Amino acid sequence: MFTVIGDIARDVNVQVAGVLPHDLVMAGDTPARIHTGLGGSATATAAWLAFRGSSVRLIGARGDDQAGTAAELDLRVLGVDPRLQVVSGAQTGTVVVLVDSTGERSMLPDPGANVALSASWCQAEMAGQHLHVSAYPWFRETTRHTIECTIESARARGMTVSIDLNSHSLVHEYVIPLVGLLDLVDVVFANTDEWRALKDQWSPPSDCFVVVKRGAAGAQWSTGDHSGSSPALPVTLVDSTGTGDAFAAGFLSTWVAGGAGADAVAAGNELAAVCATRVGPVPEHRA
C-alpha cells in the first residue's frame, strides 16, 4: 500500500485558443474550453497509482463544502482511499489552470483548507510500505512542521519515502532548509528547473535515487555511482497538467515492487505519456 500526502484541490482547467504570452493583458474575450475536476499534485499521483492497480491512501485537508464532498466521491471512483481532514468553515482548495494551444500550462492556486493540515491527522491515517509527499505543503509555513513530522514518523515505521519538489521558484527560495529534508528521503523527483535550483546546494546521499523529469526529452536518473536516461514516448501533447505526477506514479509502482531503477524510470515515462494525451491531471477511470 502507498500513502500519498499533499494538497487537495478542484481544478478549473481552461483550454485557451492560441498561445498565452507571459505578459498577458487581462482585457477582452478569449475563446476557451473549461473543464472542472480533481486537481493537485498529490491527488494526481494517487489517482495514477490506483490506475496502475496499486492500493493507495490519499491524506490531505478539505473544506466542509460541496467541492470537498465531490472530491472524496471522485477519488473513490478512481480507486483511491481518501483520508481527508475536514476543516470547518474553510473552502476546499482550487487551482485555475490555463492551458494554451501548445499544451503548456500556468497555474493560479488558492490553497483553501490545505493550510490547516495537521501532523496528528497525517500520522494517524498513514499506512503501507511507502510514503509519497508533494512538496507544496512543506513550502507553506503553516504545514511545514506537518510534513517534517510525517516523514520522520514514516522513517520510524520502516517505510520508504519519496518527494516531488513541484515548484522551481519555491525550491530556489527555500533551498537551504530543503536540503536537510531531502537527506531523509529515498527518492527525489524534480524537473529540470527544480534540479538546477537545487544541485549546487545538495549532494544526494549515496542510497538516494534522484530523477530529473525533462518533459519531451524524457528523464535522467542517478543513484550512487550509477546513472542513466530514458527517452519520453512520442505523443501529441494535449495538456501537460499532471504529467510529472503520472510519471512519479509509474516510477513508484515499479520501484516499490522491487523493479530496477531504469525500468521504473521507463514506466514513469510510459504513464506520463498517457496523461499528456488527455485534458486534466487524473485518469478518467480506474484501469
Side-chain angles (χ1 to χ4, degrees):
M1 175 187 285
F2 291 89
T3 291
V4 178
I5 293 180
D7 286 355
I8 306 301
R10 302 294 288 178
D11 266 7
V12 181
N13 187 291
V14 184
Q15 302 275 314
V16 180
V19 178
L20 289 171
H22 292 294
D23 58 347
L24 179 68
V25 177
M26 304 303 290
D29 296 327
T30 301
R33 290 180 294 122
I34 298 175
H35 170 270
T36 60
L38 287 168
S41 175
T43 296
T45 299
W48 287 105
L49 279 168
F51 182 84
R52 289 273 296 198
S54 298
S55 177
V56 55
R57 286 186 177 184
L58 176 62
I59 298 177
R62 71 168 180 88
D64 56 351
D65 55 7
Q66 187 174 14
T69 301
E72 290 212 22
L73 292 173
D74 290 346
L75 286 164
R76 291 192 178 98
V77 168
L78 292 174
V80 176
D81 177 13
R83 302 296 177 103
L84 306 185
Q85 178 184 352
V86 180
V87 182
S88 179
Q91 67 176 18
T92 299
T94 303
V95 181
V96 176
V97 185
L98 304 177
V99 185
D100 68 19
S101 59
T102 70
E104 294 301 329
R105 86 293 187 269
S106 298
M107 296 190 294
L108 305 170
D110 177 350
N114 291 301
V115 302
L117 181 64
S118 72
S120 60
W121 178 269
C122 293
Q123 292 176 68
E125 299 297 331
M126 184 170 52
Q129 68 184 110
H130 185 86
L131 171 68
H132 177 70
V133 176
S134 163
Y136 281 122
W138 184 87
F139 290 125
R140 190 179 301 121
E141 295 291 343
T142 59
T143 46
R144 180 169 301 163
H145 177 71
T146 294
I147 297 303
E148 291 174 347
C149 288
T150 303
I151 289 176
E152 290 172 358
S153 178
R155 302 296 303 192
R157 300 182 193 191
M159 299 172 71
T160 49
V161 180
S162 58
I163 189 168
D164 196 318
L165 297 184
N166 292 136
S167 169
H168 77 272
S169 61
L170 292 173
V171 170
H172 185 270
E173 182 176 357
Y174 293 100
V175 65
I176 299 303
L178 178 62
V179 297
L181 182 75
L182 298 184
D183 285 341
L184 301 177
V185 306
D186 301 283
V187 180
V188 174
F189 297 103
N191 65 26
T192 303
D193 291 333
E194 292 156 2
W195 181 241
R196 186 178 296 118
L198 175 66
K199 65 179 182 178
D200 291 336
Q201 301 293 334
W202 181 56
S203 297
S206 61
D207 57 350
C208 182
F209 202 108
V210 177
V211 185
V212 181
K213 300 171 289 184
R214 302 186 299 158
Q220 293 179 320
W221 58 269
S222 63
T223 179
D225 295 328
H226 303 284
S227 62
S229 62
S230 178
L233 276 67
V235 296
T236 299
L237 178 64
V238 174
D239 181 2
S240 63
T241 310
T243 53
D245 308 312
F247 177 97
F251 177 95
L252 291 172
S253 61
T254 300
W255 183 80
V256 171
D263 293 337
V265 174
N269 281 327
E270 290 172 5
L271 206 56
V274 175
C275 181
T277 59
R278 60 177 311 280
V279 174
V282 300
E284 295 180 1
H285 53 78
R286 188 174 187 179

